Amino acid sequence: MKQYDMIVVGAGVIGSAAARELSRYQGSLAVLEKNSDVCEGTSKANSAIIHAGFDAEPGTWKAKMNVQGNQMLDQLSEELDIPFRRCGALVVCLNEEDMPKLEELYQRGLKNGVEGLSLLSREEAVKREPNLTDQVCGALLAETSGIVCPFEMTLGLAESAAINGAKFYFETPVTSLEKIEEGWLIHTPKEDFTAKTVVNAAGVHSDELHNMVSEKKLKLAVRKGEYCLLDKAAGSHVRHTVFQLPGKYGKGVLVSPTVHGNLLLGPTAVDLEDRENVQTTAGGLAEVLEKSALGVKNIPTRQVITSFTGLRAHELGDDFVLEEAAEGFFDAAGIESPGLSSAPAIGKYLAEKIAEKLGLEKKTDFNPIRKGTPRLREMSREKRKEMISRNPSYGNIICRCEEISEGEILDAIHGVLGAKTLDGVKRRTRAGMGRCQSGFCSPRVMDLLSKELSLDLREIRKNQKGSEIVLERTRGGEKA
Amino acid sequence: MTYDVIIIGGGPAGLAAAVSARENGAQDILILEREKELGGILNQCIHNGFGLHTFQEELTGPEYAARFIDQVRERNIPYLLSTTVIGLTQSEEGVQVTAVSRENGLMVYSAKAAVLAMGCRERPRGALNIPGTRPAGIFSAGTAQRLVNLEGYLPGREVVILGSGDIGLIMARRMTLEGAKVKCVAEIQPFSGGLKRNIVQCLDDYGIPLKLSHTVVDIRGKERVEGVTIAQVDEHFKPIPGTEEDYACDTLLLSVGLIPENELSREIGVELSPVTNGPKVNESLETNIPGVFACGNVLHVHDLVDYVSEEAAQAGKNAAKYSANAPARGEEIPVETDGAVRYTVPSRICPQRMEEDLVLRFRVGKNMRNAYVCVAVDGKQVLRRKRPVMAPGEMEQVKLKKEDLQGAKSIRVCTEEA
């Protein structure tokens, strides 16, 4: 039995943000995650956008947390050493009849307190974004909209929490909760935990966790969205995130640059029965390509390097559920878009609530700074030379597409919350994210994982248990 | 110092280019290779069948590579291993190459001429947008080949292969020999992209079915592949409803094409062909950037390594000549294609500069029997040769004669069906 003052269930971006904010306070803190790494659910597959905040209904949690979260990102990205760029967004209107809706969106944004909004004529929009289609008749510009790497953001938040004392338990799914005098008794297959307060950041399972403790039942409709990611050669096709104004042609999909220089198209929106069904479909991928072409022309769709499906926990009341659902049990449920953008604000809000409840003081020695693994490819030649002379493994390139060195991979494996799997290395370093999608580097990364973690190659996994890459020795291999 | 010729890549193309550059007078040569051994992809190709044209012997991949590595060593041509080139730019001397390695850190090398010999990489699943889940157990065929042949591990026990490129065919046999069950090879085209001999020796001999005009339309399994669905496709490559067949398997190997690896070429401004994804070159195998030559799979994907060696020897020779005395570029005539000819290498020819004979390589887009390969200069036919069989998986070549091209304004290479 392990005892903590505060336990966060879920190490996605919301759980990690909550953990980081809670780690500012005195008191023991743990994060329980059912998967083997942070950022394995909804947080890993989404549009990677820090929204400006004009979309949500004024007065909702979504509106409030989005605008606040967006404002927090500059400082946060600095402190956590994560890539973030305010590239701006254009919401393009594809049909004259829908133009009043653009004006509506603008007004809604003003009500939500979004700064840097302006309505653009077609000419102004095309001047900013030359690849808009002829169909675009006007646009809403949101200057504060930005792009981020969801993996690095989640990892940064989680590592920052860990640096400040949070203990992470992976492969530790919560099976049930019991109210006890001191707070909550939490059962997992491995061991039991107690906590005075619990944060429910269980993503697409947050209703299940909520329903274990509350009579006021919550029901999420899990939706999936399919995306296509294009090669870096296509990355500069648009400069802003280009949204389509929902209207005559449906909800539309976005076309956006990513912080790493790729081009992202998507998502679709389909309700799901199976909550973890992240498969892509031929129809979904075709829809992404088709719809993205409505707002942006000449997208080089031949340069798709991968496609994926993201999950969204949609709450039927259409808002985030942020409340104390039972004594000491705090929900962060139904966090769908703009969840990534809102995460820092949600984390802060929950932490303040919990600190108040437990009467916790702030630590005097909270360290806001977390360093990511170095990105040699982005360094000047001089700096890179210096780095390699200090640590020669930075000179040994393992992933040729993204030019990731052995040293960067070793840093990721031995990081605060080190990588244990191929996907873990990929998300921390980008090794395997390039145009050959790990064909070249995966055997090499497997060797490094095997050596550094003292595992047999057969134990090296893609991600979860059961995702081992190689199954047995070859006949000749036995002798080797 | 400034090298005469710097060669990026120490695989079959780079090795042959280096040997030939030295034979043709280049003194200061440097090969940069990112692997810890010379030989490139040949090192994992432990099957035989290499070198029939060059050595009249059936060698394994490592044996073929060793012949050239020996030649490089005999000539004391310097090479750096575990060294990755990260930058290629033009400079006053010619080219500037930036490379990193554990031993030497970040280094900048200058050379009068460069030979691009970086090879190619395999197209991944994402490039095909195959729907389904994303579990472990999906490998490009070359990655699986490395795991089996170099690491000594078996990536799967029940295997479906998508794509009948040569590596896929070779791996069908290899996995079978290791005790895995290869259930079928699906190919979206109505023909195989691999060599005929590989279809016979790797599939037919083991009773592995080749399903032409079929593709994978779904992948199942959460952590590990549990099965795939294969369906027949119509002439537009769209799956035909009702033809779906489920295969239980733990592994899907992809052999769905190779992409020449031209990041560095792009960086220095080399113009690429949208057909081959490799550089456009002239009769000297020189790109639009003076002094930058290309050969092997970075230029266009070859079927036989023998042709890579031949082509690379030309590139090495021309790079050596260039480094001694950069010749003035004359007027270059574009090579037009027609019929089933998809592209030619070279795609431009300067008749003044060409040697007496010039080998022009190309591939056709479909299977043909008893068709003709024709070459016309200024509308006048100079060559018409009957070919009993032509196939997309096999490279074709014709020899052009300098005398036929003097004063020419246009060259056209085409196929004519019987």
Side-chain angles (χ1 to χ4, degrees), chain A residues 96-171:
Chain A
E96 277 299 340
E97 288 164 35
D98 290 327
M99 283 299 278
K101 287 187 191 151
L102 204 61
E103 170 73 29
E104 248 173 65
L105 203 56
Y106 172 68
Q107 293 299 337
R108 204 191 301 166
L110 294 182
K111 270 191 204 145
N112 288 347
V114 179
E115 288 170 12
L117 289 179
S118 49
L119 286 165
L120 305 184
S121 67
R122 174 184 160 77
E123 289 65 37
E124 290 165 325
V126 172
K127 207 168 155 193
R128 284 185 154 263
E129 198 63 85
N131 281 325
L132 294 181
T133 58
D134 297 347
Q135 219 177 316
V136 170
C137 36
L140 172 65
L141 169 68
E143 288 167 15
T144 61
S145 185
I147 48 179
V148 74
C149 170
F151 306 136
E152 285 171 86
M153 180 166 159
T154 306
L155 182 70
L157 289 163
E159 288 199 337
S160 177
I163 289 166
N164 289 291
K167 176 94 175 109
F168 281 74
Y169 295 89
F170 292 104
E171 296 176 6

Side-chain angles (χ1 to χ4, degrees), chain A residues 22 25 347-357 362:
Chain A
L22 285 170
Y25 295 93
K348 185 160 181 277
Y349 171 78
L350 291 172
E352 283 167 0
K353 282 273 187 200
I354 289 168
E356 192 188 314
K357 180 155 194 96
K362 282 209 172 174

Side-chain angles (χ1 to χ4, degrees), chain B residues 233-252:
Chain B
V233 297
D234 63 19
E235 64 272 26
H236 307 294
F237 306 114
K238 294 271 177 251
I240 302 171
T243 63
E244 297 86 359
E245 269 182 285
D246 290 344
Y247 285 83
C249 59
D250 58 27
T251 302
L252 174 66

